Amino acid sequence: MAEKRDYYEVLGVSKGASKQEIKKSYRKLAKEYHPDRNKASDAEEKFREIQEAYEILSDDQKRQAYDQYGFAGTQGFGGSGLGGFGDIGDLGDLLGSGGGLGGLLGEMFGGSFGGFSSNEMSGRGRSGSDIQINLKLSFNEAVFGVEKKIKYQRYKQCDICDGTGAEGKKTKQCETCSGRGQVVQVQRTMLGAMQVASVCPTCHGAGQVAENKCRECSGEGRMKKEDDFNVKIPAGIPDGITLRFTNRGNSGIKNGQTGDLYISIEVEPHPELERRGDDIYTDRHINVSTAVLGGEIEVPTVHGKVKMKVPEGTQSEKILRLKEKGGPRFRGSGNGDQYVRLIVDIPTKLSSKQKRLWEELNDVSE
């Protein structure tokens, strides 16, 4: 088995990197090595390595333990690893094909890519750009899943001219490129003359132009409109994940290919609970008498408040588990667990009576 690499080295950040720097590097690398996009034989392995590094370094407590004890330190509080989202490459299978979900990426793509596409070279027109929007979810919405109606602005094909940009859909051959959709220029280099083909600037690769421009869209073949559709967010979706929906971006010019829509998920924090994969973590303060004698305390969970027994002689920082009181598993059935760290509060001020009782107790213990 290959030796594990330092988590900071995996993400390409320094040990003093901020959370924002760590998150930015993680998203960039996750996008680069996501198996849906990177077909290299080691892409999946690197993608998991990147996820594991981020899972540790994005958490203050785990990061502190790792900085102090290395890999051994990450096994302490709740364990190391990826929890319930170690393999998220097939979210489309979970949501079904009806939602139009094309895949998962750790980062959105912004705008269209450089150069020109095969559609433009084949005479279909210029491709539309991608759109990226952020979607905020409450803590419980991310845990249990939710259906959201998304509203956003995008370019859509003109209904009057069906995207041709021509009044009455009447077109003629482009004189600039003679209907080829491309223009060829001769460039001189050190090796001699070179012919370079590029998309025709007049017809944008369509090979046809309008006899008269459509009055509705001014000849562009598309118009900016408000669009909306319902998105089903699966239970247990992690913070920072980006969902891709094909053909939901901007329509192309002159019937060019439509871009995609990327929805980046941002999960709002909970005042008392923290989610790590399918498991939930929380801290509860108890007094000295409960720690010594044992007792019962009330603990908040995503399923409501529950009673939990505290055993006699409980030490501060002890962690107890509430089985299946975590969130629904992102992949698979059932729920994760909830881990409760008990913090014993030592009184700082005592009344004379309390002090006398503690002194008596001290005499008895001796």
Side-chain angles (χ1 to χ4, degrees), residues 286-353:
I286 60 174
N287 56 40
V288 175
S289 59
T290 303
V292 174
L293 302 175
E296 194 174 68
I297 62 172
E298 191 174 68
V299 177
T301 76
V302 293
H303 305 280
K305 293 183 178 180
V306 299
K307 298 289 186 180
M308 185 183 75
K309 290 184 178 179
V310 177
E312 295 180 6
T314 292
Q315 303 297 306
S316 191
E317 303 291 322
K318 183 178 179 63
I319 298 171
L320 301 179
R321 182 181 72 150
L322 293 171
K323 189 176 181 181
E324 296 189 347
K325 288 300 181 181
R329 297 194 184 281
F330 185 53
R331 305 206 63 178
S333 58
N335 296 329
D337 301 323
Q338 177 158 325
Y339 293 90
V340 182
R341 182 173 62 172
L342 300 176
I343 300 173
V344 180
D345 291 330
I346 306 298
T348 55
K349 292 184 180 180
L350 297 174
S351 66
S352 56
K353 181 178 180 180

Side-chain angles (χ1 to χ4, degrees), residues 176-245:
T176 304
C177 64
S178 300
R180 291 190 297 271
Q182 306 172 34
V183 292
V184 178
Q185 295 177 324
V186 178
Q187 295 182 356
R188 297 199 175 275
T189 68
M190 295 177 62
L191 300 177
M194 179 181 296
Q195 289 186 336
V196 179
S198 60
V199 177
C200 176
T202 302
C203 66
H204 303 296
Q208 299 286 314
V209 295
E211 289 186 3
N212 294 294
K213 290 183 179 180
C214 173
R215 284 173 289 181
E216 186 72 14
C217 64
S218 301
E220 190 171 340
R222 62 179 190 170
M223 300 177 65
K224 199 159 195 176
K225 300 179 180 179
E226 184 175 82
D227 199 5
D228 63 72
F229 73 108
N230 292 331
V231 179
K232 289 184 178 180
I233 305 298
I237 191 167
D239 179 44
I241 287 297
T242 297
L243 309 180
R244 175 189 174 196
F245 295 84

